[in-house]
Amino acid sequence: MSSLELDEMAVSERGPNLDIVIAGGGLAGLALALALQHRDIEAHVFECHPYFKSDTATAIGIGPNGVTALEGIKPGLSSIISQAGSYTNSIIFNLLRNGKEDPPRVTNMPPKEYINVRWKSVQEILASLLDNNKIVFSHKFIGYRPSKGGVEAYFRCGNGLDRIKVVWTKLLIGADGIWSTVRKQMVADPPRYLNMVDWNALLYNPDLKVYQGIRRGEVIVRSEENMQVHSITAHAGDYTLWILRKKDESEDLANSLVGGRGGLGIPGCKARALKQLDGLEGWDSLREAIDVTSEDTISERKIMDRLPLDKWSDADGHVLLIGDAAHAQYVGPGQGARTAFEDAHQLSLLLQHASHSSFSEESIRDAVKRFEELRIPRMKKMQQYAAYSTRLPKFQPEGFQNLTTEERMRMGEEYMKWVHSYPHRQECDPNSTYFK
Ligand SMILES: Cc1cc2nc3c(=O)[nH]c(=O)nc-3n(C[C@H](O)[C@H](O)[C@H](O)COP(=O)(O)OP(=O)(O)OC[C@H]3O[C@@H](n4cnc5c(N)ncnc54)[C@H](O)[C@@H]3O)c2cc1C
């Protein structure tokens, strides 16, 4: 919403003046609030929904950079989260060529380094560690405008979201996800469709009795040689995650999704997921996982990302994007939540410094500037690598195309080494070929 449109809004209420306001109670917003609380800094999270979503049909894999960031947010946090999920011991890669399976490639993981956990459990844990009054529900952020020494943040609030509340703050954080309203006002660029549709669900499978196609600590990745169909099955504590991904270069699948985006439990989604496997050999195990899953827990949606930005701040450093709002990337490399935790960790350290000057304008501007210097170069490279891993040439950045198998392997190894070395060499790895 523009400043002019905000001018015309009939404001029902003025909230208190706050040092830090976070729009969005997803993983990025809650992790930041917790990291700040741990450093004795007040921040309030404004979430548009009246309560947290009952389910998101997703589990997240948290690797070494995510674990380090969680420990930086609050010591002991990664082990609390790991208890709600499970550690990954091995990843099994199955490649299918004309219905025949290549011998599986198995990567054994270092012990206790990779956690697989239900997305919702992570959200609940972060929220439970925050003081009671830190999360404000039913507040939908709609716009901001500069105001002396900070910005005014506008929210629709109340049960019917029919009242307008204005809150003045020194720093507004846009942690409102890939469809970010904060980013819409700041940049106005839309999310990008990556020509893939996902069906995914979390199956309650505590003793691995409901579905036995997976063992404890396992992740199974299965792909057709042409990558038209790709799947991930993972053990995540009491749950089994399955994801079925289908390429959609014609965009016919996307155009047939309800509301143009899809959603959770849409009637017919189970049959549509199974239809993607019609005529394919070697997919019985995934068919079985889909069969035993209740349709109302299946998510069906387009895969999107965001193009990298040169700037994540606005209003002279009083507004800043983090998480998916700043750098949503293709989910393939599984770095969205991990990098949201990195953002929360790094920003809390910089704001801790600013708190020593009582959040003077200059100290906030410095913190925001330094945050962008540290994080934007890293996220640009990670977003590019993620776009490269779509294997769709139209999304692959220049310099990442036409690589030989050896070059691809080298790039993958360099990527893991660099990303996992967080918080060291955040911006780049000067010793690498692809991430300098
Ligand atoms: C199938 C799948 C698998 C994934 N696997 C992994 C993985 O293995 N590893 C990994 O690290 N990441 C993974 N991710 C990515 C990860 O889940 C996201 O990157 C992460 O959740 C982003 O967090 P966020 O807080 O930035 O955004 P979101 O989680 O989208 O949260 C945004 C929040 O803002 C709220 N909101 C939106 N608009 C407004 C508004 N106007 N006002 C107030 N509130 C608002 C929303 O309700 C929501 O609560 C996966 C994602 C998917 C879908």
Side-chain angles (χ1 to χ4, degrees):
M1 224 171 239
S2 69
S3 289
L4 277 178
E5 286 168 307
L6 292 174
D7 262 346
E8 285 166 13
M9 304 235 95
V11 174
S12 340
E13 202 181 322
R14 289 215 159 251
N17 291 354
L18 298 170
D19 281 346
I20 300 170
V21 162
I22 301 170
L27 301 188
L30 294 174
L32 176 63
L34 183 59
L36 293 172
Q37 177 178 284
H38 179 65
R39 290 162 178 83
D40 291 327
I41 298 169
E42 279 259 309
H44 291 79
V45 177
F46 289 77
E47 165 60 40
C48 60
H49 291 109
Y51 40 77
F52 288 135
K53 287 175 232 170
S54 57
D55 209 347
T56 58
T58 315
I60 50 171
I62 307 177
N65 57 319
V67 170
T68 307
L70 288 173
E71 286 304 301
I73 288 167
K74 186 176 164 64
L77 184 56
S78 70
S79 94
I80 299 174
I81 288 176
S82 72
Q83 283 158 29
S86 48
Y87 284 107
T88 301
N89 307 325
S90 59
I91 306 184
I92 301 166
F93 296 91
N94 291 137
L95 189 65
L96 287 141
R97 300 175 203 263
N98 300 321
K100 294 225 164 53
E101 226 172 274
D102 277 5
R105 266 194 309 120
V106 180
T107 305
N108 290 316
M109 310 304 281
K112 299 199 168 184
E113 275 198 7
Y114 289 82
I115 302 165
N116 245 317
V117 57
R118 194 177 173 222
W119 191 100
K120 183 158 176 52
S121 303
V122 182
Q123 187 183 43
E124 283 168 355
I125 290 169
L126 295 172
S128 71
L129 295 169
L130 280 170
D131 295 343
N132 273 343
N133 60 350
K134 293 279 174 65
I135 307 172
V136 188
F137 287 100
S138 297
H139 277 65
K140 187 178 168 64
F141 172 83
I142 52 171
Y144 60 85
R145 63 175 184 182
S147 166
K148 197 172 164 19
V151 284
E152 284 181 331
Y154 282 65
F155 294 91
R156 281 194 179 279
C157 62
N159 288 340
L161 295 180
D162 49 0
R163 289 185 296 120
I164 306 289
K165 188 194 268 187
V166 180
V167 177
W168 181 89
T169 180
K170 289 181 182 172
L171 182 58
L172 168 68
I173 305 287
D176 50 346
I178 190 164
W179 296 95
S180 170
T181 307
V182 181
R183 177 161 173 159
K184 194 169 170 195
Q185 179 170 349
M186 199 186 278
V187 195
D189 62 332
R192 170 172 74 164
Y193 177 45
L194 289 172
N195 292 160
M196 283 176 250
V197 171
D198 259 13
W199 287 264
N200 55 283
L202 274 176
L203 179 64
Y204 186 59
N205 193 18
D207 301 314
L208 304 179
K209 281 189 183 145
V210 181
Y211 170 68
Q212 288 151 12
I214 187 118
R215 285 176 296 190
R216 286 182 197 285
E218 247 178 25
V219 174
I220 301 173
V221 181
R222 178 171 286 260
S223 300
E224 286 289 317
E225 189 184 15
N226 58 12
M227 292 295 288
Q228 284 296 316
V229 179
H230 175 82
S231 82
I232 299 170
T233 318
H235 172 230
D238 284 346
Y239 292 83
T240 296
L241 167 74
W242 62 258
I243 301 176
L244 164 63
R245 189 162 297 152
K246 180 77 193 285
K247 288 232 162 104
D248 177 34
E249 284 163 282
S250 64
E251 306 202 359
D252 289 347
L253 274 175
N255 291 332
S256 67
L257 292 180
V258 168
R261 282 195 208 173
L264 188 68
I266 293 171
C269 64
K270 186 164 166 170
R272 284 190 293 276
L274 287 166
K275 188 164 177 275
Q276 310 312 318
L277 301 174
D278 276 357
L280 295 179
E281 305 258 338
W283 289 88
D284 286 350
S285 182
L286 181 66
R287 275 192 195 95
E288 190 197 331
I290 300 173
D291 265 332
V292 295
T293 303
S294 155
E295 179 162 272
D296 58 352
T297 64
I298 299 176
S299 155
E300 175 183 50
R301 53 179 199 102
K302 296 199 291 200
I303 299 292
M304 321 279 292
D305 76 350
R306 285 289 198 169
L307 287 174
L309 293 178
D310 293 325
K311 211 169 176 297
W312 293 344
S313 65
D314 193 17
D316 204 17
H318 292 292
V319 183
L320 178 66
L321 301 173
I322 65 166
D324 274 7
H327 48 68
Q329 50 182 291
Y330 170 51
V331 293
Q335 289 290 343
R338 299 185 211 184
T339 51
F341 299 145
E342 290 182 6
D343 285 349
H345 176 210
Q346 293 303 314
L347 187 56
S348 69
L349 293 173
L350 292 162
L351 290 175
Q352 184 175 27
H353 191 67
S355 72
H356 299 149
S357 325
S358 306
F359 295 119
S360 66
E361 275 206 83
E362 196 187 347
S363 69
I364 289 199
R365 211 176 295 125
D366 285 352
V368 166
K369 184 166 169 273
R370 184 67 193 128
F371 182 73
E372 291 181 298
E373 284 167 0
L374 263 180
R375 302 293 301 157
I376 292 179
R378 177 175 180 83
M379 292 319 305
K380 271 190 182 170
K381 292 184 180 68
M382 291 179 73
Q383 284 175 279
Q384 284 187 335
Y385 180 81
Y388 151 83
S389 14
T390 60
R391 310 251 188 124
L392 288 166
K394 78 191 245 202
F395 302 122
Q396 292 186 314
E398 262 179 59
F400 282 50
Q401 290 172 335
N402 305 321
L403 300 178
T404 63
T405 309
E406 268 162 33
E407 286 168 332
R408 283 206 305 267
M409 282 179 66
R410 179 167 175 192
M411 177 160 64
E413 280 163 19
E414 284 188 354
Y415 174 81
M416 298 297 259
K417 194 167 155 225
W418 169 57
V419 167
H420 290 169
S421 68
Y422 173 87
H424 308 292
R425 298 183 305 214
Q426 264 186 76
E427 297 99 317
C428 65
D429 179 356
N431 302 320
S432 72
T433 304
Y434 297 97
F435 303 100
K436 299 199 211 284

